[in-house]
Amino acid sequence: MLNLILFGPPGAGKGTQADFLIEKFKLNHISTGNLLRRQIASETELGLEAKSYMDKGFLVPDSIVIGMIRTKLLKNKEANGYIFDGFPRTVAQAKALDELLDSLGIPITGMLCLIVEKKELIDRLLYRGITSGRPDDQDVSVIENRIKVYQEKTEPLRDYYMAQNKYHCVEGTGSVEDIAQRLIETISTI
Ligand code: B4P
């Protein structure tokens, strides 16, 4: 089973590359961003709470996100493997994921990190703000807050997965196809 985590700052191309890898390796896509946006669109209680954090560029509380992942994993036990996109984003989430996967007997194969510089991230997200209407992509100060939260809360996960020998990085600029090729080559070496 191939179980991958896509890692990187907001706008690094996690969702974009997940689409390629799902097609190539026939994996299940678990994107916490997409799951949360679905809850917001359905105007559920969870969605309304999540929106108040997301619109300001803050992380949604761990308890909400971990509960969503647990439900999703237990529903898809027969999958070929998973791509976790945008999860885990905190050390508490990484530990919860390890516990959950241990109980299901499915280890993480590796974490794939996309490296992109800050100006490029901001340009990409502002452009997506125009084309998609996503509220968290429309204001530079919200985007900068997301990048700051990433540096403070999410980057420490690099050490967590490095200690398990599971951390791999590729350059995240260039054409979407070239980056996908870099990821596929990295996966073949794991
Ligand atoms: P996410 O939905 O995960 O959004 P994201 O970090 O902005 O990345 P995404 O994957 O969507 O974008 P991508 O880089 O592919 O999270 C949104 C919010 O949800 C978070 O801020 C947080 O509030 C909440 N949340 C989600 N998960 C959470 C968790 N686990 N815990 C707590 N809170 C959580 O692409 C960005 C743009 O770049 C796209 O427009 C794309 O077309 C473009 N792009 C991609 N590759 C490119 C390339 N090579 N060249 C040029 N443009 C490119």
Side-chain angles (χ1 to χ4, degrees), residues 74-90:
L74 294 177
K75 263 195 206 156
N76 291 284
K77 279 192 195 155
E78 306 307 320
N80 226 0
Y82 296 94
I83 288 206
F84 295 95
D85 162 9
F87 180 90
R89 262 175 155 101
T90 63

Side-chain angles (χ1 to χ4, degrees), residues 111-181:
M111 169 182 259
L112 303 170
C113 172
L114 294 163
I115 299 175
V116 179
E117 66 167 49
K118 186 173 172 186
K119 184 179 178 311
E120 169 82 9
L121 297 173
I122 294 174
D123 289 347
R124 285 182 187 183
L125 294 176
L126 284 174
Y127 182 70
R128 184 172 65 184
I130 296 167
T131 54
S132 73
R134 249 175 79 165
D136 57 342
D137 284 343
Q138 292 184 11
D139 182 322
V140 177
S141 65
V142 171
I143 292 174
E144 286 189 330
N145 191 42
R146 286 160 64 193
I147 295 172
K148 184 166 163 270
V149 169
Y150 170 80
Q151 289 164 343
E152 288 172 3
K153 302 255 169 76
T154 309
E155 261 182 357
L157 287 182
R158 185 177 42 199
D159 294 343
Y160 184 87
Y161 286 96
M162 253 183 194
Q164 300 182 22
N165 233 350
K166 290 185 175 168
Y167 182 77
H168 309 272
C169 258
V170 308
E171 177 58 46
T173 42
S175 77
V176 169
E177 293 76 13
D178 284 350
I179 298 163
Q181 199 46 44

Side-chain angles (χ1 to χ4, degrees), residues 11-16 32 37 54 58 60 86 89 93 128 146 174:
K14 301 182 293 289
T16 308
T32 37
R37 280 186 288 277
M54 290 166 77
F58 289 108
V60 174
R89 262 175 155 101
Q93 291 181 15
R128 184 172 65 184
R146 286 160 64 193

